Amino acid sequence: MSYYIHSDKFFLDNTTENGGYLEITDDGKFGAYTRVKPTGKIVDYSGRYVSPGLVDTHIHGLLGHDVMDNDWDKIQEMSAGLLQAGVTSWLPTTLTASADQLDAVCKTIGDNYQDAKGAKIQGIYFEGPFFTTEHKGAQNPKYFGDPNVETFKRWQESAKGLIKKIAIAPERDGAVAFTKAVSQMGVSVALGHSDATFEQARASVEAGATVFTHTFNGMSGLSHHAPGMVGAAMSMHNVIDELICDGHHVEPAAARILIEDKRPDHVALITDCMRAGLMPDGDYVLGEFPVYVADGMARLKDGDSLAGSVLQLKQAVQNVVNWNISTPEQAVEMASKTAAISSKIGNQCGSILPDRDADFLIWSHDMDLKETYLDGKSRYQA
């Protein structure tokens, strides 16, 4: 039986509406929004906001598990746990590894993704292995190599077409040709973990790259004589820049500069969360590297550089609001619609639109997550 949601505000696809009613159909889809009180069941969320569910397009792990564990039961647990982070759709994200390891992960997810019981798996994000060593971060350089279209096709076949995005370093040999070929397959090519010049980054963007991976982190910086990767990310018009807003990876002032420059429709909030997400501080492993987690940060034991994050996407939304960078509507847009578009899944999730799956969130006025709905059913309450 269909019902209606009433709240103080609705963050719809093109407008934010005060009050009114949003229909949830009996098959778990969004119906129409109306200002006129309808007949039928009404679920009253006065004093609350309603937004689309968040879309985490760059996340490696959660609850002690990692995508690279290649264990479907663990991925299921991650999928269920993401609902408490406000995430209703996600892209399990790989790390640099051997071609065979990556192929095995593709097969596991490709064979099972439709059975996810929590946040919906809308694709796979390949972060690597076509990177360079200067900004390797927690990526293992022993598996680095030049982009290879045939290798990618092998992975994509194993994934049953589920790879939606792949990150490469644009200075690698063959990067431009790879970008052109893969982007023409309908896959987002992202640029990251790279010491590329501005000109090298621009060449890949002109060949079809559309995303910069965790902007500012793992890339050549901006100077007035050498704009580098950061300069390319900020100056290119038709690209979307990922951004980790945990307050550790990027200073709030730098986040403000990027968001004000690119606007919310060209910045995607991500977490880059590793297996320690929703877990206590302590010792963990990211890929093949020992990591320790303390004070809200995950760091490599060897070298002490940041190694992913323990950020929840709902916290990133709240952070950019509390830092007075964005309105609640803009913060949600960056973590839902823009993120989905960045990974070519915007036709499936990230917006409240008629006939879309009714995946939505209930927020307090200060952007504390109160409830998560999936297919029109309440699945998590704070």
Side-chain angles (χ1 to χ4, degrees):
M1 181 178 177
S2 64
Y3 66 96
Y4 294 85
I5 296 286
H6 172 70
S7 76
D8 287 7
K9 287 183 186 292
F10 290 92
F11 301 162
L12 304 179
D13 187 50
N14 291 292
T15 63
T16 297
E17 299 289 351
N18 294 325
Y21 304 84
L22 178 65
E23 181 185 15
I24 309 298
T25 66
D26 54 9
D27 59 348
K29 307 290 186 181
F30 290 121
Y33 167 83
T34 177
R35 293 184 177 86
V36 178
K37 186 175 182 179
T39 58
K41 179 182 177 182
I42 296 174
V43 180
D44 190 357
Y45 284 108
S46 296
R48 299 285 188 252
Y49 297 157
V50 173
S51 83
L54 306 183
V55 183
D56 200 337
T57 58
H58 187 157
I59 173 171
H60 298 280
L62 198 73
L63 292 169
H65 310 313
D66 191 289
V67 172
M68 296 304 295
D69 294 340
N70 195 27
D71 184 320
W72 176 247
D73 289 337
K74 293 179 179 180
I75 293 173
Q76 279 277 40
E77 290 183 31
M78 291 169 60
S79 178
L82 281 169
L83 297 177
Q84 64 184 285
V87 174
T88 56
S89 288
W90 65 302
L91 266 60
T93 303
T94 63
L95 283 164
T96 292
S98 72
D100 288 342
Q101 283 178 285
L102 291 167
D103 193 60
V105 172
C106 286
K107 289 177 179 176
T108 296
I109 299 175
D111 288 344
N112 295 285
Y113 75 100
Q114 292 177 318
D115 296 327
K117 293 180 171 60
K120 297 166 183 174
I121 295 175
Q122 304 285 9
I124 300 171
Y125 176 21
F126 258 53
E127 192 183 9
F130 306 133
F131 292 146
T132 49
T133 57
E134 288 84 354
H135 295 281
K136 65 182 185 295
Q139 303 280 342
N140 195 331
K142 76 178 183 180
Y143 300 114
F144 287 172
D146 293 329
N148 185 289
V149 174
E150 294 307 313
T151 300
F152 176 81
K153 287 180 178 177
R154 171 193 169 196
W155 294 329
Q156 187 68 294
E157 182 179 358
S158 295
K160 295 181 169 60
L162 205 62
I163 301 174
K164 300 295 184 181
K165 181 169 58 174
I166 182 168
I168 68 170
E171 70 269 38
R172 300 256 15 165
D173 288 345
V176 169
F178 179 89
T179 298
K180 181 179 179 180
V182 172
S183 62
Q184 288 177 350
M185 298 175 194
V187 176
S188 290
V189 176
L191 306 179
H193 288 282
S194 163
D195 198 42
T197 64
F198 177 89
E199 291 75 18
Q200 289 168 324
R202 179 174 59 191
S204 283
V205 169
E206 293 300 338
T210 55
V211 179
F212 280 79
T213 298
H214 43 53
T215 306
F216 298 113
N217 302 117
M219 61 176 62
S220 50
L222 167 69
S223 83
H224 60 299
H225 289 303
M229 285 276 285
V230 171
M234 296 185 69
S235 65
M236 299 293 176
H237 296 305
N238 297 316
V239 298
I240 292 176
D241 298 342
E242 293 182 350
L243 190 61
I244 306 172
C245 284
D246 60 357
H248 306 297
H249 280 78
V250 178
E251 286 293 318
R256 176 189 298 279
I257 290 168
L258 186 70
I259 292 169
E260 289 183 349
D261 176 60
K262 297 301 294 279
R263 309 306 302 158
D265 61 341
H266 284 84
V267 176
L269 297 183
I270 61 160
T271 62
D272 199 13
C273 187
M274 49 85 73
R275 70 171 73 242
L278 294 174
M279 296 289 286
D281 289 356
D283 292 337
Y284 296 89
V285 174
L286 180 59
E288 301 177 9
F289 299 117
V291 171
Y292 73 94
V293 175
D295 302 319
M297 291 175 281
R299 291 187 175 276
L300 292 175
K301 287 189 173 182
D302 182 11
D304 209 41
S305 63
L306 289 167
S309 84
V310 292
L311 179 67
Q312 298 176 51
L313 199 50
K314 67 179 182 183
Q315 295 170 332
V317 168
Q318 191 176 54
N319 283 343
V320 294
V321 173
N322 289 343
W323 296 341
N324 298 311
I325 295 174
S326 304
T327 66
E329 298 96 317
Q330 292 171 330
V332 167
E333 178 185 3
M334 290 187 285
S336 56
K337 182 176 181 177
T338 305
I341 291 171
S342 77
S343 300
K344 298 189 185 297
I345 56 173
N347 61 340
Q348 299 167 253
C349 57
S351 298
I352 294 176
L353 286 168
D355 299 322
R356 289 278 185 93
D357 290 347
D359 303 337
F360 62 96
L361 308 177
I362 309 297
W363 304 85
S364 69
H365 283 200
D366 57 2
M367 298 306 290
D368 275 327
L369 179 67
K370 296 300 181 183
E371 197 163 354
T372 301
Y373 277 76
L374 207 62
D375 298 315
K377 297 179 181 178
S378 178
R379 294 288 304 275
Y380 167 77
Q381 294 182 11

